[in-house]
Amino acid sequence: MVLTVSAALLLGIAAYFTVRTKAANGAAAVVLFLFGFFTAGTGAYGPIHDLCAALAASLADLR
């Protein structure tokens, strides 16, 4: 069974918990940046989206 979930939804949930727990580290900054980026859809969307897709593909190939 394959489950597909939006990256914006996952990052939104992660951002909610990051803000709720008042985490202040590098990972929290990355989560909040990516959530804002994916929801805004700026002109830099293409390169950052391609980078995230490449990272996701490389993680999937690790198994």
Side-chain angles (χ1 to χ4, degrees):
M1 182 171 110
V2 175
L3 177 66
T4 304
V5 180
S6 169
L9 176 66
L10 289 176
L11 290 169
I13 293 169
Y16 171 78
F17 285 112
T18 299
V19 171
R20 180 105 170 131
T21 60
K22 299 178 184 170
N25 55 27
V30 169
V31 166
L32 293 173
F33 168 75
L34 288 174
F35 176 64
F37 172 76
F38 277 110
T39 56
T42 63
Y45 177 79
I48 296 177
H49 183 266
D50 292 343
L51 175 67
C52 291
L55 287 173
S58 66
L59 288 176
D61 290 339
L62 287 177
R63 49 179 197 134

